[in-house]
């Protein structure tokens, strides 16, 4: 077999392959054997039909077609390996010549990873938000904890903001009660915004036994997005009572003995959260700077597939779970379809460039992924997916996705290397020492999250 490579553009090549006919022998034998098992010829046992009889009865062309279909993947793979190409996706194959007993010639056009030059990235500088925890932040956190320990007691008065009401609901569309539009003994906190639009105004002022009807657009269910006539009946009104902010509350709500210790712990937790946010922000901005430094051609077919995948996932998975269609989602977002298309394309381009650049960095820096790192990453992915580690691991192995997870960890390590070399300052002009934060949060873990967000929904190239 002989092959040659022609570069059509930085991300696409054409392979020209010439195969001597004798190299088709194994595939021809396999073709005769396969046809033998599929057909019946009077006077011959199944599987024992001579090749000349098959040629006479079914045509030599059918045998050649079967043999070529069997052989093409092997010869294409050999040509790719010989040229040391890093191909993306499936090739477009064209048989240019097939002469029985002489030769098989074909071409294959396929996208390839572009050659990328990683420049010196040690000069990257970024600015991030300074870490600041105010007394107001602490009081808000303590107040939220206090809300979680609130108690309720029934009252004989009209419902008001902050009360917890027990209600029965019935929704009608076009005068018909929906099968999934009836609910009883629903507990709802007035002002929480957790149910239907307009329900706060409807129930405020009603006492137990009171009933009213209002119109609202349904957020989910069989009639999601439609206007419904909703009847709500209040069966109980209960007032929420917050515990006193004292040492007894600290002992009730935490492992601390005093309110001051609880407040100090809240400050530390908020500082840790802001440190993590700061590290994430640093990595996002370093990644943006890195992508600006590198020229990355994007294969058209890969980009088209990536855009279609993102659209499909949003429309058929994410929005479906929310009971929305694309039109309603765009209305809520205040965007036109053209604006959404442009944003999706921009995100897809960034995702592809991010993967290409970080993969090249993995090679350049000779980064490896050990079993411990892979296991930790698998545990995090399992937690985010809602599956147990064992279930997630089984699904990954059965789906052949282990290399994908290895790639995610490696790219996270590559981004962490760049961040370590960069200069990061906060808005106060102070140098941010991410190494200190890494000891508690894990630079690679954070970088994995940033890289995953950039390449979200991206099919493995």
């Amino acid at each position: 077999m002989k092959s040659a490579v022609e570069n059509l553009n930085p991300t696409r090549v054409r392979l020209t392959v010439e195969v001597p006919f004798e190299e088709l022998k194994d595939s021809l034998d396999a073709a005769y054997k396969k046809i033998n098992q599929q057909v019946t010829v009077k006077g011959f046992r199944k599987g024992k039909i001579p090749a000349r009889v098959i040629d006479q009865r079914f045509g030599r062309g059918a045998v050649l077609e079967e043999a070529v279909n069997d052989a093409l993947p092997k010869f294409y793979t050999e040509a790719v390996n010989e040229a040391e190409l890093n191909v993306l996706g499936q090739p477009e194959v064209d048989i240019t010549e097939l002469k029985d007993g002489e030769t098989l010639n074909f071409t294959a056009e396929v996208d390839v990873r572009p050659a990328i030059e990683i420049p010196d990235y040690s000069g990257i500088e970024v600015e991030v938000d300074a870490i600041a925890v105010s007394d107001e932040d602490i009081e808000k956190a303590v107040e939220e904890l206090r809300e979680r320990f609130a108690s309720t007691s029934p009252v004989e008065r009209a419902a008001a903001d902050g009360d917890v009401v027990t209600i029965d609901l019935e929704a009608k569309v076009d005068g018909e009660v929906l099968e999934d539009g009836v609910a009883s003994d629903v507990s709802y906190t007035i002002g929480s915004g957790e149910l239907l639009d307009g329900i706060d105004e409807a129930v405020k002022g009603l006492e137990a036994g009171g009933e009213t009807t209002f119109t609202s657009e349904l957020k989910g269910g069989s009639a999601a997005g439609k206007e419904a006539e909703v009847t709500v009946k209040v069966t109980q009104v209960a007032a929420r009572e917050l515990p006193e902010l004292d040492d007894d509350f600290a002992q009730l709500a935490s492992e601390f003995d005093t309110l001051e210790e609880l407040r100090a712990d809240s400050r530390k937790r908020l500082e840790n959260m802001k440190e993590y946010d700061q590290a994430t922000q640093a990595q996002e901005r370093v990644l943006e700077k890195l992508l600006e430094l590198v020229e990355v051609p994007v294969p058209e077919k890969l980009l088209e597939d990536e855009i279609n995948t993102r659209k499909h996932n949003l429309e058929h998975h994410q929005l479906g779970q929310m009971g929305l269609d694309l039109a309603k989602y765009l209305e809520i977002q205040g965007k036109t379809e053209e604006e959404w298309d442009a944003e999706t394309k921009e995100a897809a381009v960034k995702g592809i460039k991010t993967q290409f650049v970080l993969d090249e960095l993995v090679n350049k820096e000779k980064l490896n992924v050990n079993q411990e790192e892979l296991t930790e990453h698998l545990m995090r992915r399992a937690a985010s997916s809602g599956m147990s580690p064992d279930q997630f691991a089984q699904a990954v192995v059965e789906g052949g996705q282990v290399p994908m997870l290895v790639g995610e960890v490696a790219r996270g390590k590559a981004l962490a290397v760049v961040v370590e070399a960069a200069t990061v300052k906060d808005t106060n002009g102070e140098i941010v020492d991410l190494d200190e934060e890494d000891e508690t949060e894990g630079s690679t873990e954070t970088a994995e999250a940033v890289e995953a967000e950039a390449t979200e929904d991206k099919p493995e190239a």
Side-chain angles (χ1 to χ4, degrees), residues 115-132:
I116 297 174
E117 281 291 327
I118 303 294
D120 178 15
Y121 47 78
S122 61
I124 290 178
E125 294 186 10
V126 297
E127 184 181 73
V128 296
D129 295 335
I131 295 175

Side-chain angles (χ1 to χ4, degrees), residues 305-324:
D305 291 345
E306 163 68 348
I307 291 172
N308 290 337
T309 297
R310 287 175 181 253
K311 288 183 176 180
H312 178 85
N313 287 344
L314 177 66
E315 291 187 65
H316 298 281
H317 297 294
Q318 299 166 23
L319 295 184
Q321 294 175 357
M322 298 163 61
L324 298 173

Side-chain angles (χ1 to χ4, degrees), residues 58-85:
F58 306 102
R60 173 72 167 175
V63 179
L64 287 174
E65 181 179 356
E66 182 66 39
V68 168
N69 288 338
D70 175 74
L72 276 178
K74 180 185 71 171
F75 292 124
Y76 165 73
T77 301
E78 288 180 6
V80 166
N81 292 338
E82 185 179 285
E84 297 181 343
L85 298 176

